[in-house]
Amino acid sequence: MCPLCEATCGLSITLSDEVVTRVKGNRDDVFSKGYLCPKGASLGRFDSDPDRLTAPLVRRPDGGFDEVGWAEAFAAVERGLRGVSEQHGKDAVALYMGNPVIHTLALPLYMLVLRERLGTRNIYSSTTLDTMPKSVACGWMYGDPLAFPLPDIDRTDHLLVLGANPMESNGSLWTVADLPGRLKALRARGGRLVVVDPRRTRTADLADEHVPIRPGTDALLLLGIAHTLFDEGLATDPGSGFAGYDELAVQVKGFAAEDVADACGVPAGTIRTLARELAAAPTAAVYGRLGTCTTEFGTLTSWLVDVVNIITGNFDRPGGVLFGEAPHATRRPAEPFRTGRWHSRVRGLPEAGGELPTATLADEIETPGEGQVRALLCIAGNLVLASPQGERLDRALPGLDFMVCVDPYLNETTRHASVILPPPSALESPHYDVVLAGRSVRRNARFSPPVRALAPGRPSEAEILARLVLIASGKSADGDPGSVDETLTDLTLRAASGRPGAPLHGREPAALKRELTGDNALERRLDLMLRLGPAGDLFGKRPDGLNLALLKATPNGIDLGPLRPRRKEVVMTASGLVELCPPAITEDLPRLDARMRELDDGGFVLISRRQLKSVNSWSHNIATLSGGTNRCALEISTGDAERLGVTAGDLVRVTGRSGEVVVPVEPTDRLRAGVLSLPYGWGHGRKGSRLAHAATQPGVSMNALTDSSVVDPLSGTAVFNGVPVRVEKAEMAEVETER
Ligand SMILES: Nc1nc2c(c(=O)[nH]1)N[C@H]1C(S)=C(S)[C@@H](COP(=O)(O)OP(=O)(O)OC[C@H]3O[C@@H](n4cnc5c(=O)[nH]c(N)nc54)[C@H](O)[C@@H]3O)O[C@H]1N2
Ligand SMILES: Nc1nc2c(c(=O)[nH]1)N[C@H]1C(S)=C(S)[C@@H](COP(=O)(O)OP(=O)(O)OC[C@H]3O[C@@H](n4cnc5c(=O)[nH]c(N)nc54)[C@H](O)[C@@H]3O)O[C@H]1N2
Ligand code: SF4
Ligand SMILES: [Mo]
């Protein structure tokens, strides 16, 4: 399965002498049925990239790196991390977990235990650059921050997409192989697709209607829709099982379509029509993604997406939105959801999901005092390019006492590391989508064995993580990494067999453990999760159920059918009801109301975009995926370009609250006036990084312009869309002196 985006396409890979010669979509894959995008087709290039690190690097006193053996590298990590935590306490060590964590088998299976053993409050991840608003909304509404309702794309009659561009991103928080094909199929069967986006994206091109909203105002638009539904008698009371319907009608007062229209830049009539269409469609689903999450009102917007699904009768039903269902056992929250159980030291920002906002990591590193972050363990993260005001982190990271990165590249972020531990290629790792299987539009189970054996002496990513867990547990890094898995397996088996009512009550844990199969400790843990899952074989109790051996014998995967309504199983709020109006969310409405009144049309605002041939910040070293149409340019509306006196390729200077960049422009009729769009993930070519191809076309980092002091206050999530900036034509002389 392809690990490069959330679509999880099945691949068919040809090798000759251990080298990939061809990657095709696997036509027999039960889920993706042969679909492949240009990124997946280039997986062999990722694999053979000469800049991929093959041995650990340790920093020399003069600043350069030495290649060292693995034992030496782990010993250096042990000394470095232990030194900091012994001298300054556990909170002085911070952990960042980046986006690829959800695309591997190994990383998610060690993250919880690593977090626990580190014992630090300084836990950060890409979640607060991405999905945390949705998690906080779902946490308050359903009691489980990982219970995401997913649009039932194959059966819906009407899809309203806000702030997402699945034609290029292939979907997110929504695992759908071949989203482009499925969107086309929706249209072909007479369904309607509406896209709300300040930019006329490729998804908008496919849609029946495109609504070019002003950035950052989707919460207002959705309130206008909810208001219309009540106002015109189109809202449906979801009835028992739900709390807060009457209160919702009160909360949306003051946000009539006519009240919000100016702020959104969308006519009131359009907003009312959007509401009427949702109500009239036999089934409908509303979906919001990055353009709704990474804004100043991310949680309010994410909440309202679900509210509209619920009051149009489309929640938890085929053709509407349905909760995902992983085929393996997953952890449910132990206690009712809440946020703010602790706060960040410098800015007092609330914890959410056990994490502090990545937007405040630089504050925690730079600000002296008790609890200051002095060491960073960065796993699969490129913070310098990915976090808001990344240039500030670029300056802060060298001030750390110790930094260890688990990363295959010497890049913009890892160049600041004390030690880099490179994981092997995806093709040398077994794969199962631990995280994404639970967000898939169809229930299915697929396992990919490694297509090539690990080089002798090279640790798997699982072993790297297990050794980090040993270090975090105060043990020696050269201990037995398998002991970590043994402990976790024993705990799970005891819980599954101990209590009366437990699925395997009365069975002997040691005997169950002997039944587990797999080529290594990690695979045996996966086998355990599969066997205990909703479709598992329960160690023979459900003889046709899943286990790892069955998945290995079924290389094209097993389809378990479409999603099904299961609200009662999922909802675990304190009241046992779906909470339509959680006070922790609705108390943020006055802030939105105030914003609605103060919006002025004066300056430019910047939004982010993703490119079909890029994978976040780390694929620009792959020659087949960069160049041509995939370059870093600032899109600007044709009218604005004329007013500035610039044409395609001219350089402009863009100035944000935190910095500035000089970048070529690309005038387009795709953008609303006053909106600028910059691809995110560029800004390569920095001293000390080792990305030869990326350095030939570095582009600029969008996060040189973003502002880490602004977050969505309910979730702590960074703001990457609706960023105020100034733009002016760059004079050539000025640009020359800068170089
Ligand atoms: N301005 C702006 N900023 C954004 C966004 C935006 O839209 N606009 N989007 C945000 C979003 S949604 C996200 S998810 C974040 C992502 O930001 P990050 O969490 O930093 O993730 P990536 O940019 O994907 O960088 C991944 C890093 O992991 C390494 N890596 C790749 N594969 C593996 C692997 O298998 N194992 C390990 N250990 N490492 C690996 C890569 O070399 C790279 O250094 O960026 C956010 N930043
Ligand atoms: N090809 C490719 N695919 C990817 C990635 C990649 O880097 N490249 N990254 C993966 C990751 S980590 C993620 S999180 C997903 C993201 O998946 P998506 O959210 O689908 O991807 P984006 O391109 O960030 O789309 C955000 C859209 O929101 C619009 N937008 C910006 N501001 C606003 C606003 O205020 N309101 C509204 N309504 N729209 C707004 C933008 O114009 C853009 O079209 O993609 C994943 N898939
Ligand atoms: S759509 Fe995503 S999963 Fe499928 S081939 Fe492309 S990058 Fe890989
Ligand atoms: Mo993301």
Side-chain angles (χ1 to χ4, degrees), residues 39 163 165 168-169 196-198 216 218 290 610-612 614 616:
K39 296 183 295 303
N165 184 13
E168 310 210 46
S169 70
V196 177
D197 197 305
D218 297 71
L290 222 61
R610 280 184 159 62
Q611 295 163 302
L612 180 63
S614 292
N616 290 348

Side-chain angles (χ1 to χ4, degrees), residues 413-719:
T413 299
T414 62
R415 72 197 173 114
H416 297 303
S418 321
V419 181
I420 306 176
L421 305 172
S425 153
L427 300 185
E428 292 161 345
S429 313
H431 193 61
Y432 172 91
D433 278 296
V434 179
V435 177
L436 301 175
R439 303 176 184 177
S440 174
V441 276
R442 271 191 88 84
R443 294 175 296 131
N444 68 84
R446 291 170 298 153
F447 176 82
S448 302
V451 295
R452 191 178 55 219
L454 275 177
R458 179 111 198 228
S460 64
E461 187 144 36
E463 180 180 336
I464 296 174
L465 264 287
R467 292 201 186 279
L468 291 174
V469 172
L470 288 176
I471 293 171
S473 314
K475 298 188 180 136
S476 165
D478 63 11
D480 173 18
S483 65
V484 175
D485 302 274
E486 296 285 325
T487 312
L488 296 170
T489 302
D490 291 342
L491 277 172
T492 309
L493 280 173
R494 270 206 299 275
S497 60
R499 280 177 294 108
L504 299 174
H505 181 60
R507 303 277 295 269
E508 173 57 45
L512 294 171
K513 194 168 165 183
R514 282 192 297 276
E515 284 185 40
L516 294 175
T517 70
D519 289 346
N520 48 52
L522 180 75
E523 287 192 9
R524 285 190 290 277
R525 268 173 71 205
L526 174 62
D527 189 31
L528 178 58
M529 291 163 67
L530 287 165
R531 286 166 170 237
L532 293 177
D537 74 355
L538 293 173
F539 292 84
K541 244 171 109 176
R542 200 191 282 138
D544 57 350
L546 297 182
N547 57 43
L548 183 60
L550 178 63
L551 288 195
K552 285 188 171 179
T554 323
N556 297 319
I558 297 174
D559 181 54
L560 298 160
L563 296 178
R564 45 196 182 182
R566 53 187 207 102
R567 165 174 62 82
K568 290 191 178 134
E569 214 177 290
V570 170
V571 172
M572 48 178 308
T573 50
S575 63
L577 306 172
V578 171
E579 294 289 348
L580 271 167
C581 282
I585 294 180
T586 53
E587 70 193 17
D588 199 28
L589 282 169
R591 187 173 65 97
L592 180 64
D593 184 73
R595 180 59 57 87
M596 173 169 76
R597 288 157 213 288
E598 79 197 20
L599 276 174
D600 78 282
D601 241 335
F604 282 98
V605 288
L606 180 65
I607 60 174
S608 313
R609 72 172 184 273
R610 280 184 159 62
Q611 295 163 302
L612 180 63
K613 291 187 180 175
S614 292
V615 184
N616 290 348
S617 69
W618 64 279
S619 61
H620 299 136
N621 210 45
I622 309 302
T624 47
L625 290 177
S626 52
T629 53
N630 203 31
R631 19 183 217 103
C632 180
L634 181 81
E635 285 189 353
I636 182 170
S637 76
T638 19
D640 288 331
E642 264 166 40
R643 269 186 293 284
L644 282 178
V646 290
T647 54
D650 283 354
L651 293 173
V652 292
R653 175 181 305 278
V654 189
T655 311
R657 270 185 291 218
S658 71
E660 58 179 41
V661 298
V662 174
V663 60
V665 287
E666 205 166 278
T668 171
D669 63 358
R670 290 184 173 272
L671 274 181
R672 251 185 92 91
V675 179
L676 304 169
S677 161
L678 200 55
Y680 125 83
W682 297 85
H684 309 293
R686 297 178 195 225
K687 192 165 163 267
S689 57
R690 199 182 291 167
L691 296 164
H693 185 75
T696 63
Q697 276 204 348
V700 298
S701 173
M702 153 138 195
N703 285 318
L705 302 170
T706 48
D707 180 355
S708 60
S709 73
V710 194
V711 292
D712 163 39
L714 302 192
S715 68
T717 302
V719 176

Side-chain angles (χ1 to χ4, degrees), residues 6 99 102 126 129-131 172 289-290 610 616 680:
E6 296 176 46
N99 173 270
I102 65 165
S126 54
L129 308 177
D130 187 350
T131 52
S172 176
R289 204 52 272 278
L290 222 61
R610 280 184 159 62
N616 290 348
Y680 125 83

